[in-house]
Amino acid sequence: MPAIQRLIARAYPELPGYTAGVVRGQLNNFPEGQFVATFNSKMVGYCASMRISGAIALKPHDWDEITGKGFGSRHDPTGNWLYGYEMCVDPKQRGLRIGQRLYDARKALAERLDLSGIVFGGRMPGYSRVRRKVEGPEDYLKKVVEGKLRDPVIGFQLSNGYEPIGVLKNYLPEDKKSLGNAAHMVWRNPYVDETSAPEFRVPRDVESVRLATCQLQARAVADFDEFVRNVEYFVDVAADYRSDFIVFPELFTLPLLSFETRKLSPAEAIDALTAYTPRIEKELARMALEYNINIIGGSHPTRTDDGDIQNVAYVALRDGSTHAQEKIHPTPNERYWWNIKGGDAIDVIQTDCGPIGVLICYDSEFPELARRLVDQGARIIFVPFCTDSRQGYLRVRYCSQARAIENQCFMVLSGNVGNLPNVDNMDIQYAQSCILTPCDFPFARDGIAAEATENVETLTISDVNLADLTWARAEGTVRNLNDRRFDLYHIEWDAGHGHGGNIPTSPPTSGSHGAGGG
């Protein structure tokens, strides 16, 4: 992904670049449709595409609308056209026919999938120079096709078998050379009769993942080793059931304060917990490898490298990697008692079962966060929570059910039960951990794959079929993701935040981009 970002910055220095989150979404939403070209071990070409229906691709649109702000999140596995929304070649390597090779790879994909053809909005960089000599972008395009004017991009596309069917106005406002216009280009698959193109259906495959949620009892422990043994017990049981994931509750490490010899102030408690952070990460990583399971380590209050106090979920994967996801929205209670500050980045985590997301408790009550994770390709979102009352629990539960429906994804909740009398914030706990699904025919009747008994320490396990999500998003009774009105609204993240950082060679961006078109 950083190589793609650097390539975009080199090829289109006058346009805003991609964020890491946008590139991650492109790759996750339709892996088959993304191609890279390398030369001497260096990335020199990249193109992005998705499937979409002709009813959308062949009518007027703009880049943000049709691509879901660049994430490729409007990919439709039943779409009969391949839509190209990025084509980028290193300017120092343009004598190697890299663009032609990438176009050929796209055509081969369209032919293999029996699609009607390829559509995209192509840049018109020569238009700004001659705009006073022509009667608008349509006249400019007509003269280029007739050979009366020269445009390097349109000429290249014509030479590769594409034909214009019109002009897309205000397609990409950032493209000053094209004055925001794009040539609406089409390549028709010669092996498919467009008048009787095949009707695509999503195969009802089985892509099974076994999920385990641990409803953990907060209990006093004698030392760090006893705490680890308590956690490892449930990891062991979940692994015996061949679970792919196990998730622990928010603040599941607070029992480490129970064996302090005196009552600590909030600042002292944070410092004590921070001292355990390296050991917690190490133990979670060890268990993930030894038990061959992906572990979402609830959350752990700690002082991070920047000096802020954060509530962090440490995720240990069975491939040996570890990841951290900060809580974005601390509750008023957390801010007051613990001085916890919100994080500023949220992204999917790549696992052997596909990309996942983590929303810590209160974060599940902000729909923008789940939508961002799903745009990046997440199909499972884990929600470690810690609530002291039924009302608090139901806020997390109802909001998570809404996230499952509106994003057509699985939500996995894990909460604490019991109490720690001498530890602030752990006086009483209420939880009913559960695994929630969308509400449609392939899923559980009430949108609940499994749930625990209230306030009892237990492990709840369920199999879910990720392929059901693919079907629901393309052919379900309602199709919340595909039916979004990108022509009316979208989520805009502040520059430099929420995407894992930008590469040094490009300026901070908000994710709005369409560098190459096509």
Side-chain angles (χ1 to χ4, degrees), residues 401-420:
Q401 185 75 74
R403 303 296 85 85
I405 292 170
E406 67 200 14
N407 293 292
Q408 297 176 291
C409 66
F410 296 114
M411 303 288 290
V412 188
L413 282 62
S414 172
N416 298 289
V417 298
N419 57 74
L420 289 170

Side-chain angles (χ1 to χ4, degrees), residues 302-333:
T302 186
R303 195 179 301 277
T304 53
D305 293 339
D306 59 8
D308 287 342
I309 300 170
Q310 305 278 3
N311 192 1
V312 183
Y314 292 102
V315 178
L317 304 183
R318 53 188 173 194
D319 65 3
S321 64
T322 57
H323 307 264
Q325 176 59 64
E326 298 170 346
K327 188 173 185 177
I328 304 299
H329 301 91
T331 63
N333 183 280

Side-chain angles (χ1 to χ4, degrees), residues 397 401 434-439 443-451:
R397 168 81 175 241
Q401 185 75 74
C434 54
I435 300 168
L436 305 176
T437 77
C439 292
F443 307 102
R445 187 191 68 175
D446 299 321
I448 306 167
E451 60 184 344

Side-chain angles (χ1 to χ4, degrees), residues 331-479:
T331 63
N333 183 280
E334 289 173 307
R335 290 196 300 268
Y336 179 79
W337 288 106
W338 299 86
N339 196 28
I340 289 177
K341 292 182 170 57
D344 60 7
I346 189 162
D347 289 295
V348 296
I349 297 168
Q350 304 294 142
T351 77
D352 60 314
C353 299
I356 65 165
V358 178
L359 297 177
I360 302 174
C361 197
Y362 195 30
D363 284 346
S364 67
E365 300 176 31
F366 295 83
E368 301 87 352
L369 300 187
R371 180 54 53 82
R372 176 177 177 80
L373 292 171
V374 170
D375 277 344
Q376 290 188 20
R379 294 184 287 180
I380 306 171
I381 298 177
F382 295 92
V383 183
F385 70 90
C386 179
T387 53
D388 60 353
S389 66
R390 180 171 172 81
Q391 295 98 316
Y393 162 71
L394 289 177
R395 286 195 296 270
V396 176
R397 168 81 175 241
Y398 290 156
C399 288
S400 294
Q401 185 75 74
R403 303 296 85 85
I405 292 170
E406 67 200 14
N407 293 292
Q408 297 176 291
C409 66
F410 296 114
M411 303 288 290
V412 188
L413 282 62
S414 172
N416 298 289
V417 298
N419 57 74
L420 289 170
N422 296 321
V423 177
D424 289 336
N425 251 18
M426 298 292 282
D427 301 323
I428 55 173
Q429 307 301 317
Y430 186 100
Q432 186 177 21
S433 303
C434 54
I435 300 168
L436 305 176
T437 77
C439 292
D440 210 338
F441 290 112
F443 307 102
R445 187 191 68 175
D446 299 321
I448 306 167
E451 60 184 344
T453 302
E454 297 128 302
N455 298 328
V456 174
E457 185 174 55
T458 187
L459 195 67
T460 303
I461 300 174
S462 178
D463 287 336
V464 297
N465 183 11
L466 299 182
D468 286 342
L469 299 176
T470 304
W471 178 89
R473 292 175 178 184
E475 300 187 49
T477 307
V478 293
R479 303 163 196 178

